[in-house]
Amino acid sequence: MKKENMLIIGSGPAGLTAAIYSARALLKPVVIAGIVPGGQLTQTSDIENYPGFVEPVGGFDLMTAFQKQSERFGTKVLYDNVVSVVFSGTGPHEVSLAGGEKIQALALIIATGASPIWLGLESEQRLMAKGVSACATCDGAFYRNLPVAVIGGGDTAMEEAIFLTRFASKVTVIHRRNQLRASKIMADRALQNPKIAFEWDSVVEEITGQNEVDGIVVRNLKSGEKKRIECKGYFAALGHKPNTEIFKGLLDMDDVGYILLKNQSSHTSVEGVFAAGDCADHVYRQAITAAGMGCKAAIDAERWLESKHKT
Ligand code: NDP
């Protein structure tokens, strides 16, 4: 079985920043690229708030640059998923990959991020990828001159709705309250966009269509009235849940599954196991904060290795 100094699970801003720092510390990190290589940013449109970029930068381009920078210092990236882990005392810890490989690591950094939340409707499953999506950047171009619906009232929903107006004939936002959760700047942009309509105080009861989406049935929570809205695309934008299932019962987590960190460090409840980014942060969840957490995890792991294993 291969034995590594440092294994990083996840290749979003947190994982790749940890890789840059630990590669520059000559720890030869191995990154398991994870559920979505490059993380959630590869599924977003232009990023305007990542410091250092005067003009907007594409999420995919930014993450490609992170990866190339990490590889320049000797990071190895494996395109595989972790299916299980075995933590043993102060390590080495063992990681099993979907491809069958097992790897031991003295230090492990978990940066598995978070995944989109769905409403949980049967019709969401049935029509998945047949008009049902959680990524406007990935699928928006399929809806040229067609009506679409976006579900949710947060920044993701506003960003997706605004992005979709590039293609769609009309974008209807369905929100369960009459006030948006989104930041004021994003909310104002969406509210002022003539192609975006809002269904307030409303929930989606069903997505209709035989082989592809042709509409949604929404219910107004105040009046109880139901109506059908014609749309060819259904975009869930309901927030995210942490990708931490494989660590359940092995690491201390909160009720929702976010990994708990010790004090203000990146140390988890298991020695030699560190966490960074959205899998351990339900508050900020920004690319820049995830990158900062990745940096902290690499430094914590490096110091821990130095004290315990003298690499
Ligand atoms: P949020 O949790 O902020 O918003 C989720 C939205 O979905 C809320 O409006 C919520 O309604 C609604 N919702 C959740 N569950 C259900 C349900 N079962 N039925 C109906 N509606 C539901 O998630 P986001 O992904 O929008 O944002 C997460 C974080 O990322 C935020 O901090 C945000 O600021 C940030 N972000 C920043 C961006 C940027 O700056 N460019 C872009 C995208 C995200 P309710 O409001 O009633 O709770």
Side-chain angles (χ1 to χ4, degrees):
M1 194 186 309
K2 271 192 213 153
K3 191 169 169 184
E4 305 287 351
N5 290 320
M6 167 93 73
L7 206 59
I8 298 167
I9 310 175
S11 56
L16 291 175
T17 302
I20 292 166
Y21 272 76
S22 43
R24 290 192 77 249
L26 307 180
L27 289 171
K28 300 193 181 81
V30 175
V31 172
I32 314 296
I35 295 170
V36 183
Q40 293 173 76
L41 279 194
T42 56
Q43 306 193 0
T44 195
S45 51
D46 287 346
I47 296 161
E48 295 178 315
N49 54 7
Y50 199 85
F53 294 87
V54 178
E55 298 299 328
V57 57
F60 183 82
D61 295 341
L62 183 62
M63 293 324 298
T64 303
F66 269 59
Q67 183 171 331
K68 282 188 176 159
Q69 188 179 355
S70 78
E71 286 170 331
R72 187 158 86 82
F73 300 111
T75 297
K76 189 170 157 198
V77 178
L78 298 182
Y79 295 95
D80 209 334
N81 283 322
V82 174
V83 288
S84 64
V85 292
V86 178
F87 297 144
S88 55
T90 56
H93 304 298
E94 191 178 300
V95 165
S96 299
L97 305 184
E101 197 179 347
K102 285 182 195 284
I103 304 175
Q104 283 191 330
L106 296 176
L108 195 65
I109 295 179
I110 299 168
T112 45
S115 293
I117 293 173
W118 299 96
L119 281 181
L121 301 171
E122 180 277 326
S123 43
E124 255 176 353
Q125 285 297 320
R126 186 170 58 81
L127 294 165
M128 188 69 69
K130 295 172 184 163
V132 170
S133 170
C135 177
T137 313
C138 318
D139 302 325
F142 296 127
Y143 301 97
R144 271 174 212 282
N145 301 317
L146 296 170
V148 299
V150 173
I151 324 305
D155 276 328
T156 300
M158 297 311 105
E159 190 179 65
E160 304 250 304
I162 294 163
F163 178 76
L164 285 164
T165 60
R166 296 188 197 182
F167 311 100
S169 54
K170 181 182 178 186
V171 179
T172 306
V173 173
I174 320 296
H175 185 36
R176 63 183 173 185
R177 295 186 293 135
N178 63 3
Q179 204 178 4
L180 293 172
R181 178 179 295 278
S183 57
K184 188 160 168 27
I185 185 167
M186 297 288 280
D188 284 350
R189 275 187 207 166
L191 289 164
Q192 284 161 20
N193 191 312
K195 272 180 137 182
I196 301 177
F198 287 83
E199 288 290 334
W200 302 107
D201 299 310
S202 297
V203 291
V204 178
E205 295 238 301
E206 197 193 346
I207 309 162
T208 59
Q210 203 60 26
N211 296 316
E212 56 185 32
V213 172
D214 64 17
I216 52 175
V217 177
V218 299
R219 180 168 53 90
N220 186 294
L221 293 169
K222 288 194 171 151
S223 67
E225 189 193 321
K226 285 188 190 183
K227 71 171 171 186
R228 188 174 178 281
I229 296 172
E230 194 203 335
C231 63
K232 296 291 185 186
Y234 165 100
F235 289 87
L238 306 162
H240 296 82
K241 63 171 187 308
N243 299 320
T244 55
E245 283 79 7
I246 55 172
F247 309 108
K248 231 164 229 166
L250 304 176
L251 290 175
D252 287 354
M253 295 178 186
D254 71 7
D255 296 346
V256 189
Y258 286 93
I259 297 169
L260 295 177
L261 302 176
K262 286 189 179 166
N263 301 318
Q264 289 182 14
S265 75
S266 58
H267 288 261
T268 68
S269 53
V270 173
E271 252 205 85
V273 179
F274 305 82
D278 288 13
C279 66
D281 170 27
H282 63 94
V283 179
Y284 300 106
R285 294 184 294 189
Q286 300 298 300
I288 184 65
T289 51
M293 290 175 80
C295 162
K296 285 171 65 174
I299 292 172
D300 285 343
E302 182 195 337
R303 289 178 182 164
W304 181 83
L305 280 167
E306 181 64 28
S307 69
K308 299 281 176 184
H309 293 279
K310 295 252 185 287
T311 53

